[in-house]
Amino acid sequence: MPAISVLMPVHNTGKFVGQAVKSILNQSFGEFEFVILDDGSTDHSLKALMTFAKRDKRIRLISRGGKGLVETRNELLHMARGELVAWADSDDLYAPQRLERQLRRFENEPELVVCGTRWQLIDSSNLPIKSLSFPEKHEEIVRMMLELDNAIWFPTVMMKRNVALQAGGFRHPFVIAEDYDLHLRMMEHGRVANLPDLLCYYRQHFTSTVNSRHWQAPTYSRLARTLAHERRERGTDRLQRGEVVRLEFDRPMTRSASAEHLRLKWGWWALMDGHLKTARRLAIRNAAEKPHKLESWRLLYCALRGF
């Protein structure tokens, strides 16, 4: 049995999936199985994955029609053979020491059920945008999770498989924040932590699940917290009781407005974090596509001056 199962859902990330897979195969700790499930990709993702699977026997590649992220994550969780599962996004990059350092933390802390890490946002060309981290200690993480938002970044997560299954796995109606909902349930079964090490490079692009649905995130996050408080007060939440959950969303942005919003956000983040090359690249793109918007030129001016 492998010590760790690395689980990667894939859907139309052919531009980045090769880099993501290589970063897992090049880990300093090599005793893992790598389970990859292609969820009905229509680009060249599957072809690239098949090439890797032929070269490395640690890879178990499964392909089927598209079912969505929740079903894909649950299937991967059930297919895993390792006691510990490490989640990996198919468009991100991972430092070589990621698995080794997280495994060491689980070995040293038997009560631990979920462990994340620090991470850095990168753009489509691997340029840095911003480094981010969450609280490291269990008590601080729990407080933030219950009061504010998710405090464990899922693409960095290693977790105990049996606890994830015991907690109920991933659930509908979550199409995003499904990880937040699971983390809240898992922390009711043990301790959670974040490593201070920067071990994940989280890619920002417009077609990622989080960014394509960013306007829905507050609603799903509020639902996850509401359900967590219900469990604390009543022992179960409405999904566990089979009750209907109704969601109300803000009006969605157009694709053009969403792209502008995200580029401005990433550009200011990069500028404030000292990544001038990234900030200038994003500012130039926004100014070229939205020349009538004052904010586009403001970002470009600040980026060129170095703030």
Side-chain angles (χ1 to χ4, degrees):
M1 296 291 286
I4 299 169
S5 295
V6 180
L7 307 181
M8 178 180 284
V10 177
H11 180 72
N12 288 344
T13 51
K15 184 177 179 181
F16 308 114
V17 71
Q19 296 179 60
V21 169
K22 286 179 183 177
S23 72
I24 294 296
L25 296 178
N26 292 333
Q27 291 291 302
S28 58
F29 178 85
E31 297 177 23
F32 61 85
E33 67 167 354
F34 192 1
V35 190
I36 306 174
L37 202 168
D38 182 77
D39 182 38
S41 291
T42 55
D43 65 357
H44 63 280
S45 296
L46 182 58
K47 184 177 180 181
L49 292 169
M50 291 173 68
T51 299
F52 282 106
K54 290 178 182 177
R55 296 175 183 169
D56 199 305
K57 294 182 179 180
R58 291 174 295 180
I59 295 177
R60 277 200 289 150
L61 175 61
I62 302 96
S63 176
R64 52 150 173 74
K67 293 184 180 180
L69 190 56
V70 168
E71 285 81 1
T72 301
R73 291 204 191 283
N74 280 327
E75 285 183 41
L76 283 166
L77 198 55
H78 282 88
M79 285 188 283
R81 295 180 296 172
E83 178 184 352
L84 296 171
V85 297
W87 293 94
D89 280 359
S90 61
D91 49 3
D92 297 340
L93 301 175
Y94 296 93
Q97 303 81 19
R98 179 204 167 177
L99 298 182
E100 180 181 357
R101 292 184 184 176
Q102 288 182 299
L103 176 61
R104 189 183 308 136
R105 182 63 180 267
F106 276 95
E107 290 174 341
N108 293 335
E109 192 173 335
E111 306 86 9
L112 192 65
V113 296
V114 178
C115 180
T117 78
R118 186 171 167 233
W119 74 102
Q120 183 180 74
L121 305 180
I122 60 173
D123 72 2
S124 58
S125 298
N126 297 347
L127 291 176
I129 297 175
K130 183 180 182 179
S131 295
L132 296 159
S133 62
F134 281 136
E136 297 172 25
K137 296 181 180 179
H138 172 82
E139 293 75 15
E140 295 174 2
I141 295 170
V142 169
R143 187 180 307 114
M144 182 174 174
M145 297 267 282
L146 290 172
E147 297 177 3
L148 295 174
D149 209 334
N150 202 356
I152 307 172
W153 199 240
F154 191 69
T156 74
V157 159
M158 183 178 286
M159 61 174 56
K160 287 186 176 176
R161 176 179 176 271
N162 66 321
V163 178
L165 293 172
Q166 183 182 355
F170 301 91
R171 307 192 293 180
H172 288 292
F174 293 94
V175 294
I176 53 174
E178 78 289 341
D179 54 329
Y180 184 19
D181 176 55
L182 177 58
H183 294 159
L184 283 163
R185 283 177 282 125
M186 289 187 69
M187 74 184 192
E188 296 164 7
H189 295 263
R191 296 184 66 80
V192 294
N194 283 307
L195 299 181
D197 313 73
L198 198 167
L199 299 174
C200 171
Y201 299 87
Y202 182 70
R203 194 179 304 280
Q204 297 294 286
H205 58 97
F206 303 126
T207 57
S208 70
T209 301
V210 170
N211 289 323
S212 63
R213 294 180 175 271
H214 66 90
W215 54 276
Q216 295 179 323
T219 298
Y220 282 111
S221 293
R222 282 194 298 270
L223 174 60
R225 286 191 297 278
T226 298
L227 296 176
H229 287 291
E230 284 184 14
R231 291 191 299 275
R232 286 176 169 245
E233 294 169 5
R234 302 181 58 180
T236 60
D237 63 44
R238 68 191 76 173
L239 291 181
Q240 292 169 335
R241 296 191 297 270
E243 298 173 9
V244 175
V245 172
R246 291 181 173 84
L247 298 170
E248 294 184 5
F249 299 102
D250 296 331
R251 186 175 181 179
M253 293 182 178
T254 64
R255 181 173 296 183
S256 175
S258 179
E260 177 193 1
H261 166 79
L262 291 170
R263 270 197 300 267
L264 283 171
K265 180 173 73 171
W266 300 337
W268 284 113
W269 280 353
L271 182 61
M272 299 304 292
D273 220 40
H275 303 299
L276 294 181
K277 183 177 180 180
T278 313
R280 288 166 181 164
R281 177 179 176 177
L282 290 163
I284 290 170
R285 177 77 180 274
N286 233 30
E289 294 194 6
K290 300 289 182 178
H292 58 289
K293 292 294 184 71
L294 181 61
E295 189 67 14
S296 299
W297 294 104
R298 181 169 175 262
L299 173 61
L300 180 58
Y301 174 76
C302 292
L304 291 175
R305 283 193 62 191
F307 204 59

